[in-house]
């Protein structure tokens, strides 16, 4: 691997085992054959349906499909479009996974200051560098790959190829080289996983769930669905003028138009509803963004408390979850509930308590947290 930071003192290349690559190659050939055949069949049927809808000949004057109303054709077209989209999405995702396992290679190099890695697809693949100072922990993936948990809460995937034994050896070497344990030694310093924190100009932070690129992808998908619903509504009304007005046709068109408007509105990221917490010493302000002005509710926080919630339905085993509560002058109010992993609730509570500058009652977690020795930490400049 090309070294942009100096000569590494250890490096490794990981690939899927040879037998697995041969097996994946055979599966990829079969998968492509089935995928292309299914996609062609679905696309051919969809083209026939669209042609029948666009044909200006009245349905009663045709040799075929004389008893099929325009509403039925539109419903069939929407169903075919949904099935074909799902078929292509699953096919491309699984095919990419197989191809990556066949031709890719995980390349890692380490020195005293950090680790560099890249997923090799070709000579144009970018090399990534991660200083040990940015890492909060190297969690044990139990054979499912090697990842690094950053102080920002982001999880970086370093390697997924190779064998379970290679992953374990790499995991132990990374931990030994950086002296970072499987969990962050100081939870209050690290943003909880799946969340993000943005500093405010006047002090404090905005704390929220990660939005990232997934929001943009969902917006594009919803935008495409809205366009499809709107085109279907227009097609139904157009056929009404050719085949004659019916009762169900305009109602179905109105329903499709309303659905298109609702999906289009939710596709616009700025109109999506989301919740943020603005955290300052002693004050937590809940901000919910909807259409129009955001709703703000401010709380003077005196302390935080983790509670252990046990529920049981008839004939089922007990279900244990954890919730985080804040105590204010107006009483107790829940901040987060329904988290099964006690470690995640402990991390969230300690992070918030540190920034609110209040105490955290975590007695409910004592019997559920795993027993482990505190990890040593070393920060290489």
């Amino acid at each position: 691997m090309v070294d942009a930071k100096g000569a590494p003192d250890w490096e490794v290349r990981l690939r899927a085992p040879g037998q697995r690559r041969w097996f994946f190659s055979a599966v990829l050939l079969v998968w492509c054959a089935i995928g292309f055949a299914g996609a062609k069949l679905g696309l051919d049927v969809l083209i026939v349906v669209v042609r029948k809808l666009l044909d200006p000949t009245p349905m009663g004057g045709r040799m075929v499909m004389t008893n099929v109303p325009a509403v039925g054709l539109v419903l069939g077209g929407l169903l075919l479009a949904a099935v074909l989209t799902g078929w292509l999405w699953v096919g491309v995702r699984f095919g990419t996974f197989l191809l990556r396992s066949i031709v890719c290679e995980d390349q890692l190099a380490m020195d005293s200051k950090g680790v560099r890695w890249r997923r090799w697809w070709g000579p144009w693949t970018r090399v990534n560098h991660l200083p040990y100072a940015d890492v909060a922990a190297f969690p044990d993936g139990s054979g499912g790959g090697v990842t690094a948990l950053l102080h920002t809460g982001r999880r970086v995937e370093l390697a997924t190829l190779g064998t379970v034994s290679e992953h374990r050896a790499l995991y132990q070497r990374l931990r030994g080289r950086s002296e970072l344990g499987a969990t962050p030694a100081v939870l209050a310093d690290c943003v909880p996983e799946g969340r993000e924190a943005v500093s405010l100009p006047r002090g404090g932070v905005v704390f929220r769930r990660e939005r990232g690129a997934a929001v943009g992808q969902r917006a594009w998908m919803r935008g495409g669905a809205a366009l499809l619903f709107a085109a279907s509504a227009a097609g139904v009304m157009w056929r009404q003028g050719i085949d004659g007005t019916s009762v169900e046709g305009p109602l179905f068109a109105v329903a499709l138009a309303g659905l298109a408007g609702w999906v289009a509105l939710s596709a616009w990221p700025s109109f999506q509803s989301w919740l943020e917490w603005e955290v300052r010493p002693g004050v937590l302000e809940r901000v919910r963004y909807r259409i129009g002005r955001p709703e703000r509710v401010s709380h003077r926080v005196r302390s935080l408390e983790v509670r252990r919630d046990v529920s049981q339905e008839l004939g089922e085993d007990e279900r244990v979850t954890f919730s985080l509560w804040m105590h204010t002058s107006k009483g107790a109010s829940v901040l987060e509930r329904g988290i099964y992993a006690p470690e995640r609730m402990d991390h969230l509570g300690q992070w918030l308590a540190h920034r609110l500058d209040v105490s955290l009652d975590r007695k409910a977690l004592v019997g559920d947290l795993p027993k482990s020795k505190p990890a040593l930490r070393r920060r290489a400049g």
Side-chain angles (χ1 to χ4, degrees):
M1 181 173 60
V2 178
D3 191 356
K5 301 290 182 180
D9 50 30
W10 187 87
E11 57 184 329
V12 66
R13 297 169 181 263
L14 302 177
R15 297 193 68 184
Q19 293 181 348
R20 187 184 301 175
R21 292 203 303 273
W22 283 109
F23 174 74
F24 282 170
S25 299
V27 173
L28 181 61
L29 289 176
V30 175
W31 183 258
C32 289
I34 296 175
F36 282 124
K40 184 179 184 305
L41 177 62
L43 189 60
D44 289 343
V45 176
L46 184 61
I47 290 175
V48 171
V49 171
V50 173
R51 283 179 176 175
K52 294 299 181 182
L53 284 172
L54 296 180
D55 188 356
T57 305
M59 299 298 290
R62 297 182 181 183
M63 298 297 296
V64 294
M65 294 188 180
T66 55
N67 296 323
V68 180
V71 173
L73 283 177
V74 170
L75 279 174
L78 287 174
L79 180 61
L80 279 172
V83 171
L84 188 60
T85 301
W87 180 271
L88 292 175
W89 185 83
V90 173
V92 171
R93 295 270 297 191
F94 187 61
T96 303
F97 163 75
L98 294 174
L99 184 62
R100 184 172 63 232
S101 301
I102 295 169
V103 304
C104 284
E105 180 181 83
D106 285 331
Q107 302 177 355
L108 292 94
M110 302 180 199
D111 55 25
S112 61
K113 296 184 178 181
V115 56
R116 290 178 294 285
W117 82 99
R118 71 171 175 176
R119 171 65 52 79
W120 186 86
W121 282 87
W124 56 85
T125 312
R126 184 169 63 92
V127 178
N128 305 283
H129 180 259
L130 179 64
Y132 294 136
D134 294 344
V135 181
F138 288 106
D140 187 358
S142 300
V146 180
T147 60
L149 179 63
L150 307 187
H151 287 287
T152 59
R154 189 168 66 94
R155 190 176 289 266
V156 177
E157 189 177 76
L158 299 177
T160 57
L161 301 177
T163 62
V164 174
S165 60
E166 288 175 331
H167 291 166
R168 289 175 178 169
L170 177 58
Y171 165 70
Q172 293 295 337
R173 183 175 290 273
L174 282 167
R175 287 189 60 187
R177 185 66 65 93
S178 62
E179 296 185 7
L180 295 171
T183 56
V186 184
L187 296 179
D189 291 344
C190 314
V191 179
E193 184 183 356
R195 313 292 180 106
E196 60 183 5
V198 181
S199 298
L200 291 170
R202 298 181 180 179
V205 294
V206 173
F207 187 62
R208 63 195 177 199
R209 296 186 182 275
E210 283 185 349
R211 304 183 69 203
V215 174
Q217 293 175 2
R218 289 195 297 269
W220 280 107
M221 292 175 61
R222 292 174 181 177
L227 183 62
L228 181 61
F229 288 141
S232 300
V236 171
M237 293 307 297
W238 183 66
R239 293 302 313 183
Q240 290 293 300
I242 297 175
D243 302 327
T245 303
S246 62
V247 176
E248 66 275 5
L251 293 177
F252 184 59
V254 170
L256 285 175
L259 187 61
W262 177 78
V263 174
L265 190 63
S266 66
W268 191 256
S270 61
F271 288 108
Q272 290 181 358
S273 175
W274 76 88
L275 178 67
E276 294 180 348
W277 298 342
E278 294 187 2
V279 183
R280 300 177 180 86
V283 179
L284 187 146
E285 189 171 11
R286 286 174 169 172
V287 186
R288 182 174 294 278
Y289 290 89
R290 299 180 184 271
I291 299 176
R293 298 183 63 181
E295 300 175 4
R296 293 179 174 270
V297 180
S298 183
H299 301 274
R300 290 281 180 179
V301 183
R302 295 179 175 178
S303 64
L304 298 178
E305 177 190 4
V306 177
R307 298 182 182 179
R308 190 174 188 268
D309 307 315
V310 180
S311 60
Q312 184 178 18
E313 296 183 5
L314 185 63
E316 296 185 358
D317 296 333
E318 289 185 348
R319 184 179 63 177
V320 178
T321 59
F322 299 90
S323 56
L324 180 65
W325 293 71
M326 61 178 177
H327 293 276
T328 68
S329 58
K330 298 180 181 179
S333 176
V334 66
L335 282 173
E336 191 82 12
R337 70 166 72 243
I339 294 183
Y340 289 90
E343 299 90 345
R344 296 188 62 182
M345 184 59 76
D346 188 34
H347 193 170
L348 176 62
Q350 292 198 44
W351 192 91
L352 280 173
H354 176 68
R355 276 144 190 83
L356 287 168
D357 195 19
V358 297
S359 61
L360 171 66
D361 183 355
R362 50 194 294 270
K363 292 192 294 291
L365 294 171
V366 173
D368 294 279
L369 291 174
K371 303 297 187 298
S372 60
K373 296 180 179 180
L376 297 176
R377 307 177 71 84
R378 174 175 61 84
R379 289 289 175 246

